[in-house]
Amino acid sequence: MASFGPGGRGGRGAALLKAMKEPMRRPGEPPIVTTATGTSPTRHPHTPHTQHSPPAPPPGHPHPSTSSITTTAPAKPATPPSPRPLTPPGQSHDGSRDQSRSHDQSHDRGNGVRGGTVPLQATPTQALGRKAGTGRGILAFAKKESPQPGTAAPIGTGHAPRAPPTSVPPTTSTTRVGGGGPTPSLLQGHPLPSSMLTPPLSQATSSTLSQDTQASKGSSDLVKTSGKGRASLLQQQPEEGVASSGSAHLEKGVRKMEIAQREESTINKKGTSGAGVRLSANYLRVVAEQDGVYQYMVSFIPQVDNKNLRYRLLNEHKDVLGDTRAFDGSTLFLPVNITETTLVLKSTLQRENTEVELRITLVAVVAYAESIQLFNIIFKRVLRALELKQIGRHYYDPSNPIPVPQHKMELWPGYVTAIQEYDGGLMLLFDVSHRLLRTDSALDFLYELYSMHKDRFQDEATKQLVGSVVLTRYNNRTYRVDDILWEKNPQSTFTSHSGEAISFVDYYKKAYNKDIDDLEQPLLVHRPKRTKGDPRQGPEELICLVPELCCMTGLTDQARSDFKVMKDLAVHTRVAPNEREKSFRKFVENINSTPEARNHLSRWGLHLEPAIVQVGGRKLNPEKVFFKKKFVVSEEADWGRDSVKENVISAVTLKNWLVMFTRRDQSKAMDFVSMMKRVCPPMAIQVNEPQVVELPSDRTDVYLHALRDSINPHLQLVVIVFPTSRDDRYSAVKKLCCIERPIPSQVIISKTIAQEKKLRSVTQKIALQMNVKLGGELWAVEIPMKNIMVVGIDVYHDTIQPFARRSITGFVASMNSHLTRWYSRVAIQGQQQEIIDGLKLCLLASIKKYHEVNSTLPERVLVYRDGVGDGQMQAVEQFEVQQMLTCFKDFGDDYNPRVAVVIVQKRITTRIFSTHGNKLANPPPGTIVDHTITRRGWYDFFLVSQHVRQGTVTPTHYTVLHDTSGLKPDHLQRLTYKLTHMYYNWPGTIRVPAPCQYAHKLAYLVGQSLHKDPSEKLADRLFFL
């Protein structure tokens, strides 16, 4: 048994496993817990128990800051590998806002949703309050009851861990600490062991690396490829230490080297319609002074298993290899040729006094177009030479923060960079970025939550923190919070790499010179991402973090809904086109004026052009937006005024509807009803007197009981007025109205209709939304193609316990030739599964419904798939597209519709500017770019569909994965632009085609509130708006 914290709690705490030794951790890494399972532990029910409110944080409460770490490890620490980061949702301005501020529309967020994991079993409760010498005592926070001593929380399924390195006894396992260190271990059927809790590893623990190998982070940086159809940088290497087939071929005769040249794309993706416009984009040309880089295979005889030792041995031969190189342990890249065959070098292992032979064999000369991954590694060194710090995937300047003190926030300016081969050649994609940090720690955030939610503190803390991203300033790394260990605290111990038990308090003091004040705070857990089915992976590692040393990042939901906060941040984050262009020029000047940064490029024969790329584009003609009696044309793609004055295409009369409200909201609700009667007739919507239900209180069960009593087969729609916004109440009402008693429903927050001056405008928008939910049609655009079915697909990952890690697929398909009526289905998949297994069922149901409505099958099926990254393209093409193609045979062997599958990517770094002399501006809606900055070998294009008045507009990237539709590029581009006009929650164009946004809204509603399939009785209406 181990003791946890003061007060003799050791006898009641969970029993600890036998300490497991760990191999040496990388520098800068946090404490880690290694488990022998790939599954999440299960949280058991808890009963919160508190005695005292926490005292206010003392003035001058210290926040984490970066400090050096000293250990007895070898000199010259290697740059630690950064854990795979999960960056908080972006805050790009897309202009696609909803019409009203009703509660239904306030859920149109989609980003910023936290993920959840199932936490571990809790320990006994303990009083909350300050104890002498223990800081603020947050671990005592309303502890929840745990099983009796001696019982264990089930932790996963115990499969045998991978065999440890020879330097570690077979009976030991890996252990790391909260920010990048040894990792403790969890085994099935045992409580959490002390040995599995470890803090972030200190620096200076790995062997000496050469300058150019420190950044490569192992073989994965050089082996991985990016994009569709990209050839691998590294060829398959034979086993080291033995004669390879490549060597055998070289003995027979050195084969001639060929520089790989990418074939010019034969895909016809250029359109011609529209007027030509002068544009530029945030790309800088990378000029190469030579044809390629030289790739060598390095083998060691006798074989050397330790990768750091391989680096050291290779580093001894700088006189032959030079200072410029990239080495991943087996493959070496050089900018110059050192041998035509095989070069043999010799080194000596000092400890064993053993001679090692290094055989360096020329494999190929790799063209620059195929060296993308290498160049991105080189450019990271350039950014480090500019003294930028890597946080997550990108680099920021912590020395020039932009304070936002009124909201306890600060912004770190930085850059997003990526080198890639495009149709216009090798280019650097570059943009200005900002990292939002909150000056409060995770511990401060926990105390704030406790003050507001004492009765359900642990549940609320888990909901708010799990899925968020924190920054540890002592090593400038970000971690996604996957769990909270309520039963552990900084006094808990783990087994260090030296085999001794050490507490988190002592570890952070020794490694980072950080003092931890609150000795009772719980520990945060980060689970590094694992590759499914990879046999080389060892036991699961859990990185343990101390909240007091973690800085909160990103925005809370409360902050996002605060207009003042968002306005103050937008002053700094919404950068106008001209300001961006100045940043680009300054960036290139900084590289050229910094010798170290400039040399990193010049050694490889590279340099950047100073000006951004100029590109010709096209502007499509404005679309005619048709109402029942007239049409409108807007250069800015905005018809908000016309939408509330003109007759809608198809109006549904509100004959039998119900309005439900509490007694204190009675006057607001009746004012809303009166305004409905005045504003609806101009839109050709007839409104009868509603049934009125006044509730005595705003308790959730009161709402549900009244709804069950009121809903009947003749009722068309229910309007519920909430006094305040509460997610649990909203979810309960939506479950009843979408699943139990299916009926269209409209939820309104009372303050939305409280202001008399805004009531008319708000009511008009709510009336349009209600008409759509009843099956009405508001406006349309001209669709020249007939008998076509357009499909939108999006995936949302559920975050609410106990449904966390499920994936919700929203599937929406058009049912008429005007693309104004839609049919929706939902598919629920397993944990974090992006590929849609239930796609076939959704498509089959949609085609059957289309036949039922139109008495014919669609001749063309056009699918827009949202939420797919470049790395998922191949999987979508192999699985999702194939599922769709096979389901057509269910309608007969002769049924073979023309199909196009288009990937929609809206969270991209590309920015397009309209050029007017020396000034830049945002391009108008309808701007198309389909060359130069598009990907070579891909069928893709960029479309700016929305009008933006502040900041820089972000285009949407469309990639056609599969195409037998017979549509010309012009036709596909114009149809895509037309579909951005058809989202009925906003009277203007949006960033993505309407079916994608509808699919997102549906998936979000199900994942956030329903957690079940909605009733099929509502499937032919847009009930989820």
Side-chain angles (χ1 to χ4, degrees):
M1 293 289 181
S3 175
F4 293 92
R9 288 184 290 118
R12 296 181 64 196
L16 299 178
L17 287 179
K18 186 176 181 180
M20 307 177 74
K21 295 182 180 179
E22 64 184 282
M24 182 181 299
R25 280 178 295 166
R26 302 265 181 130
E29 293 183 342
I32 294 185
V33 180
T34 306
T35 70
T37 170
T39 59
S40 301
T42 304
R43 177 182 289 277
H44 291 261
H46 310 292
T47 303
H49 175 69
T50 60
Q51 295 181 4
H52 306 285
S53 300
H61 180 63
H63 294 296
S65 61
T66 307
S67 63
S68 59
I69 306 168
T70 56
T71 67
T72 57
K76 287 189 180 181
T79 301
S82 173
R84 185 178 184 91
L86 287 177
T87 309
Q91 301 153 27
S92 60
H93 176 70
D94 60 4
S96 53
R97 296 152 293 181
D98 282 346
Q99 288 197 59
S100 74
R101 296 178 180 270
S102 69
H103 193 286
D104 285 13
Q105 291 179 303
S106 71
H107 284 68
D108 198 358
R109 294 191 285 265
N111 50 3
V113 182
R114 299 183 178 84
T117 58
V118 185
L120 299 175
Q121 195 171 9
T123 54
T125 61
Q126 188 179 14
L128 172 66
R130 180 186 298 276
K131 297 186 178 182
T134 63
R136 290 185 283 176
I138 197 171
L139 179 61
F141 265 5
K143 291 282 186 175
K144 299 188 178 183
E145 296 295 339
S146 70
Q148 295 300 319
T151 63
I155 306 176
T157 60
H159 62 356
R162 183 175 53 173
T166 55
S167 60
V168 181
T171 57
T172 66
S173 181
T174 313
T175 312
R176 282 194 301 185
V177 187
T183 312
S185 221
L186 291 172
L187 299 179
Q188 181 186 13
H190 296 276
L192 204 61
S194 61
S195 61
M196 64 174 267
L197 300 175
T198 350
L201 196 64
S202 61
Q203 298 173 0
T205 56
S206 47
S207 303
T208 304
L209 302 182
S210 68
Q211 172 192 354
D212 291 295
T213 57
Q214 289 184 18
S216 59
K217 300 190 294 181
S219 60
S220 61
D221 278 335
L222 295 179
V223 175
K224 290 181 181 177
T225 61
S226 61
K228 178 183 176 184
R230 296 292 179 191
S232 175
L233 264 180
L234 304 184
Q235 300 179 6
Q236 187 68 30
Q237 302 296 343
E239 204 170 319
E240 297 174 0
V242 298
S244 66
S245 59
S247 300
H249 290 161
L250 286 170
E251 291 174 3
K252 297 177 182 179
V254 181
R255 65 176 178 84
K256 294 182 178 181
M257 297 174 294
E258 297 180 356
I259 298 176
Q261 299 292 343
R262 176 171 294 278
E263 296 180 0
E264 288 297 325
S265 172
T266 58
I267 298 175
N268 177 23
K269 59 183 177 183
K270 292 185 179 180
T272 57
S273 63
V277 290
R278 292 182 58 195
L279 304 171
S280 55
N282 58 331
Y283 291 77
L284 298 170
R285 293 191 186 275
V286 180
V287 180
E289 298 173 358
Q290 57 193 57
D291 293 325
V293 296
Y294 295 85
Q295 176 185 338
Y296 301 88
M297 180 190 71
V298 183
S299 58
F300 298 83
I301 304 174
Q303 183 169 328
V304 178
D305 291 329
N306 188 300
K307 186 176 293 186
N308 290 339
L309 186 55
R310 296 185 195 181
Y311 294 149
R312 187 185 306 170
L313 293 172
L314 191 75
N315 202 42
E316 293 176 358
H317 301 282
K318 286 185 178 180
D319 55 334
V320 177
L321 304 177
D323 292 329
T324 304
R325 60 188 175 277
F327 181 54
D328 70 354
S330 61
T331 301
L332 173 68
F333 287 97
L334 295 175
V336 297
N337 187 15
I338 59 172
T339 180
E340 294 294 334
T341 55
T342 298
L343 177 65
V344 179
L345 303 174
K346 294 185 179 180
S347 298
T348 302
L349 294 175
Q350 298 296 332
R351 292 184 181 179
E352 295 84 357
N353 195 26
T354 303
E355 185 178 77
V356 177
E357 184 177 284
L358 288 71
R359 299 178 63 86
I360 303 176
T361 304
L362 181 63
V363 175
V365 179
V366 183
Y368 272 4
E370 304 298 337
S371 306
I372 303 304
Q373 194 73 22
L374 172 63
F375 293 155
N376 280 290
I377 294 171
I378 295 170
F379 208 80
K380 287 181 180 179
R381 300 173 194 167
V382 173
L383 296 173
R384 284 194 290 270
L386 297 177
E387 298 183 352
L388 301 177
K389 301 296 183 183
Q390 184 175 9
I391 301 177
R393 298 182 181 180
H394 307 305
Y395 284 79
Y396 298 89
D397 185 3
S399 63
N400 294 302
I402 303 171
V404 190
Q406 65 270 35
H407 303 300
K408 297 181 180 180
M409 299 176 185
E410 66 180 24
L411 293 165
W412 286 10
Y415 305 103
V416 178
T417 62
I419 295 179
Q420 186 58 268
E421 179 77 4
Y422 299 94
D423 283 326
L426 192 66
M427 290 188 281
L428 170 71
L429 172 59
F430 170 83
D431 196 25
V432 177
S433 176
H434 292 87
R435 184 74 179 196
L436 175 65
L437 302 177
R438 285 152 47 191
T439 55
D440 58 336
S441 68
L443 182 60
D444 297 328
F445 184 64
L446 285 171
Y447 268 98
E448 183 181 342
L449 287 177
Y450 180 77
S451 65
M452 296 186 297
H453 308 282
K454 294 181 181 180
D455 56 337
R456 49 190 175 93
F457 164 69
Q458 287 198 15
D459 290 335
E460 192 64 29
T462 300
K463 178 182 177 182
Q464 296 283 348
L465 268 180
V466 170
S468 65
V469 176
V470 296
L471 170 75
T472 51
R473 293 193 185 232
Y474 48 79
N475 60 0
N476 276 337
R477 292 192 184 170
T478 55
Y479 302 91
R480 174 190 168 97
V481 178
D482 293 314
D483 208 343
I484 303 176
L485 295 180
W486 296 102
E487 68 274 23
K488 299 300 175 185
N489 62 34
Q491 299 178 94
S492 302
T493 59
F494 63 94
T495 302
S496 69
H497 61 274
S498 62
E500 64 175 340
I502 184 172
S503 68
F504 288 85
V505 175
D506 295 337
Y507 173 84
Y508 280 101
K509 181 64 177 177
K510 179 180 178 181
Y512 297 99
N513 195 29
K514 292 291 182 184
D515 293 316
I516 298 177
D517 296 330
D518 193 326
L519 302 182
E520 295 295 330
Q521 59 189 298
L523 299 180
L524 309 179
V525 173
H526 166 70
R527 292 187 177 88
K529 277 195 171 182
R530 296 164 62 85
T531 304
K532 295 181 180 180
D534 188 351
R536 297 171 297 176
Q537 295 182 123
E540 182 185 12
E541 294 179 339
L542 303 182
I543 299 177
C544 300
L545 304 162
V546 178
E548 188 177 324
L549 303 180
C550 296
C551 178
M552 301 294 293
T553 70
L555 290 170
T556 63
D557 290 341
Q558 182 179 0
R560 289 181 190 280
S561 60
D562 190 325
F563 176 78
K564 177 66 175 174
V565 172
M566 301 306 294
K567 181 180 179 181
D568 292 342
L569 291 176
V571 172
H572 307 287
T573 58
R574 289 181 181 168
V575 184
N578 282 314
E579 296 302 318
R580 284 185 188 270
E581 199 267 343
K582 290 178 183 178
S583 299
F584 302 157
R585 290 185 180 275
K586 183 179 179 181
F587 178 74
V588 177
E589 291 172 1
N590 288 343
I591 293 178
N592 292 332
S593 62
T594 306
E596 183 183 354
R598 185 178 63 250
N599 291 339
H600 277 307
L601 292 175
S602 61
R603 289 170 183 170
W604 293 91
L606 304 173
H607 73 267
L608 297 175
E609 288 190 351
I612 59 177
V613 170
Q614 303 296 311
V615 58
R618 293 174 290 113
K619 179 186 176 298
L620 301 178
N621 295 329
E623 290 291 332
K624 295 179 180 179
V625 179
F626 291 90
F627 292 93
K628 188 172 184 179
K629 296 182 178 180
K630 63 175 290 187
F631 68 85
V632 296
V633 178
S634 170
E635 289 289 341
E636 294 184 352
D638 184 353
W639 51 94
R641 293 183 179 180
D642 299 284
S643 66
V644 296
K645 294 189 302 182
E646 301 299 330
N647 291 358
V648 298
I649 291 178
S650 173
V652 179
T653 300
L654 269 176
K655 296 180 179 178
N656 298 299
W657 60 301
L658 178 144
V659 179
M660 185 176 292
F661 49 85
T662 59
R663 184 173 294 112
R664 63 178 177 177
D665 291 327
Q666 190 265 348
S667 61
K668 300 174 187 175
M670 299 316 297
D671 288 344
F672 167 75
V673 172
S674 299
M675 186 61 69
M676 279 284 293
K677 295 177 182 178
R678 293 205 299 267
V679 302
C680 286
M683 298 182 284
I685 302 174
Q686 301 303 316
V687 179
N688 292 351
E689 194 70 29
Q691 302 178 38
V692 175
V693 177
E694 183 177 302
L695 304 178
S697 72
D698 64 349
R699 287 168 40 196
T700 302
D701 60 330
V702 173
Y703 278 97
L704 299 181
H705 181 75
L707 284 171
R708 290 189 180 100
D709 289 344
S710 302
I711 295 176
N712 60 71
H714 303 290
L715 196 64
Q716 293 174 282
L717 176 138
V718 294
V719 176
I720 307 103
V721 179
F722 284 165
T724 57
S725 176
R726 267 182 46 187
D727 288 345
D728 58 337
R729 180 169 55 201
Y730 178 83
S731 297
V733 168
K734 285 297 180 180
K735 284 179 182 177
L736 189 146
C737 294
C738 296
I739 301 172
E740 182 183 337
R741 301 281 184 89
I743 186 173
S745 58
Q746 181 74 33
V747 175
I748 305 174
I749 306 302
S750 61
K751 71 176 183 180
T752 306
I753 54 176
Q755 299 183 39
E756 185 177 353
K757 293 182 179 180
K758 296 182 179 180
L759 181 59
R760 181 181 184 87
S761 173
V762 169
T763 305
Q764 287 172 332
K765 296 170 184 178
I766 293 177
L768 290 174
Q769 193 180 64
M770 291 165 56
N771 186 65
V772 171
K773 291 184 177 183
L774 291 170
E777 303 163 50
L778 303 185
W779 59 77
V781 294
E782 185 180 0
I783 305 295
M785 286 171 286
K786 304 302 178 185
N787 206 13
I788 181 174
M789 186 171 79
V790 178
V791 175
I793 302 173
D794 199 6
V795 174
Y796 171 81
H797 297 300
D798 206 339
T799 61
I800 307 299
Q801 305 289 0
F803 310 102
R805 297 195 173 189
R806 298 193 312 171
S807 294
I808 313 299
T809 300
F811 186 102
V812 177
S814 63
M815 291 289 114
N816 64 349
S817 59
H818 299 296
L819 308 184
T820 56
R821 302 189 66 88
W822 303 88
Y823 177 79
S824 60
R825 294 295 295 267
V826 168
I828 300 178
Q829 298 98 242
Q831 295 185 357
Q832 296 296 311
Q833 182 181 4
E834 187 72 35
I835 306 302
I836 305 176
D837 290 333
L839 177 61
K840 184 174 182 178
L841 294 176
C842 294
L843 185 57
L844 285 172
S846 298
I847 295 177
K848 290 178 182 177
K849 185 66 176 180
Y850 187 96
H851 184 271
E852 176 186 326
V853 173
N854 300 281
S855 301
T856 184
L857 295 173
E859 296 176 1
R860 280 192 177 95
V861 178
L862 178 57
V863 179
Y864 288 95
R865 171 70 159 96
D866 202 354
V868 178
D870 286 354
Q872 298 171 301
M873 294 279 195
Q874 186 176 6
V876 171
E877 189 173 16
Q878 290 178 349
F879 295 99
E880 296 188 18
V881 174
Q882 295 307 314
Q883 275 198 59
M884 287 188 286
L885 296 180
T886 56
C887 81
F888 297 134
K889 298 303 179 185
D890 288 18
F891 297 93
D893 294 337
D894 296 335
Y895 182 56
N896 189 25
R898 299 179 179 183
V899 179
V901 179
V902 183
I903 302 300
V904 181
Q905 295 173 308
K906 57 183 180 292
R907 294 183 181 178
I908 60 176
T909 309
T910 297
R911 300 292 184 269
I912 298 174
F913 314 106
S914 178
T915 304
H916 304 281
N918 295 327
K919 295 184 178 180
L920 302 181
N922 283 318
T927 299
I928 293 275
V929 176
D930 54 12
H931 60 91
T932 308
I933 61 174
T934 50
R935 300 286 285 274
R936 183 167 293 184
W938 293 26
Y939 179 5
D940 61 336
F941 62 92
F942 292 93
L943 168 63
V944 176
S945 55
Q946 76 278 23
H947 177 71
V948 172
R949 292 181 174 85
Q950 293 180 324
T952 304
V953 69
T954 301
T956 303
H957 188 209
Y958 296 89
T959 302
V960 183
L961 270 192
H962 176 88
D963 186 21
T964 60
S965 65
L967 297 177
K968 296 179 180 179
D970 265 333
H971 298 159
L972 183 60
Q973 293 168 6
R974 291 184 61 190
L975 179 58
T976 301
Y977 182 50
K978 288 175 181 289
L979 286 168
T980 63
H981 294 66
M982 296 303 298
Y983 182 57
Y984 284 157
N985 238 15
W986 176 247
T989 52
I990 59 173
R991 288 186 60 188
V992 298
C996 285
Q997 189 66 12
Y998 288 142
H1000 164 73
K1001 286 281 290 182
L1002 174 60
Y1004 183 82
L1005 174 66
V1006 174
Q1008 192 72 5
S1009 301
L1010 304 185
H1011 310 294
K1012 292 182 180 179
D1013 289 354
S1015 172
E1016 291 189 21
K1017 294 181 179 179
L1018 300 175
D1020 59 349
R1021 307 174 190 178
L1022 298 175
F1023 68 94
F1024 41 82
L1025 292 183

